[in-house]
Amino acid sequence: MASFKSQAFQSLLRGRTPFIRSQQRRWAQVHDVRFLATHRDPNQVLEKYRSKLDQKAKQEGFSSVETLKEAHQEKIDKLRREASTILTPEPPTPSQKPHTPPPPPQAQSTAQSQVAAAAKNASSTGIKALSSYLDVEKVRALPAKEIEALWRLRFASNPTSICAVIPLETYERINSAARQNPQFILPLPRTAGESAAPEATGKPEENTGADIHFLQWAFHPPASAPTAVNSHTSTVIFTPLAAYKLHGAYAQPHTTITHHLDLAEDKGVVLMHGQVMPESGVSTAEATWLVSCVQRFYDFGGQASGRKGELLRAFTQGDVQKFKIEELMVEAERL
């Protein structure tokens, strides 16, 4: 009997719990600074200096301030014109030449630009390119059967690795379904007494039927030069559902798989590689079983053409009437 009831997933189906972000208050104020022009009455200035002007007029032999002003009117007008003249910058000398930017470097070829961009994308996403596992150019000349044998041999000595070779047509169907249904849950059957890591499931109940795991798809720029087929690199991460509900995006996944499409156009195959985190409470065999369930539920034109595909769509739509956890467990074990 499953330890998780249908009611426990209704809240998950209705929508994801949003992260509560504390609002940042900003107390800084922007002050609008304006400059004020002050205009004085000329009569006020004249009255203020009347006594000094009278004294000046008498010293120069004028009868009044007005006659003094008339005598110096030409000089006053000249000073006013000079004060109101706008300064203009000096023109450049003939020896000075305007600065011209240097010509741009010669553009790289399209292929070189694509390779450089692909290398940058691969490093920014943290996804290893296929060239870090195989000599892609040498492998490209081999038949598909030999490529599959080399790919499996490459990880044969690693006890925490998962690998597979997927036909391109199958991957394209899975990819199409994954873009419409990027999240899902899968049950990992367990007998009574078995349990995963304490953080993943908490204290196990006496009759444990399955541990539920949450999977998420992500699509990244291609790790190699993009072609008509190799237009992306996809990853799938698996996390215990209990840990995801507790930590959200900060939950530690126990398995990560990557699909490489570098040989898809030439050989019609997609190389898949997965890595299981040690001491995560999930063995490599259990992680392999979860990965195999991805095709069962996402290959709409194949294994997921029946009830499995309906359960996946119902989960994405949040339809609690059509999505039943009991049916999910049955369909997961049905090949």
Side-chain angles (χ1 to χ4, degrees), residues 168 227-230 261-269:
L168 179 59
T227 62
V229 177
N230 183 25
L261 283 78
D262 303 64
L263 303 176
E265 188 171 10
D266 297 339
K267 302 301 178 181
V269 293

Side-chain angles (χ1 to χ4, degrees), residues 313-329:
R313 296 186 184 95
F315 181 87
T316 302
Q317 298 169 2
D319 192 338
V320 296
Q321 300 297 327
K322 294 182 179 180
F323 183 85
K324 304 295 182 182
I325 190 63
E326 294 82 2
E327 295 185 23
L328 175 67
M329 296 177 63

Side-chain angles (χ1 to χ4, degrees), residues 196-236:
E199 183 182 358
T201 58
K203 185 177 180 180
E205 297 181 2
E206 182 178 358
N207 295 325
T208 302
D211 294 332
I212 308 300
H213 296 262
F214 181 69
L215 70 87
Q216 300 177 84
W217 284 81
F219 300 91
H220 315 277
S224 62
T227 62
V229 177
N230 183 25
S231 59
H232 70 277
T233 298
S234 64
T235 59
V236 187

Side-chain angles (χ1 to χ4, degrees), residues 251-279:
Q252 181 68 33
H254 60 73
T255 304
T256 303
I257 65 174
T258 304
H259 299 95
H260 301 280
L261 283 78
D262 303 64
L263 303 176
E265 188 171 10
D266 297 339
K267 302 301 178 181
V269 293
V270 176
L271 303 183
M272 186 273 286
H273 170 249
Q275 186 66 37
V276 183
M277 294 295 294
E279 300 181 0

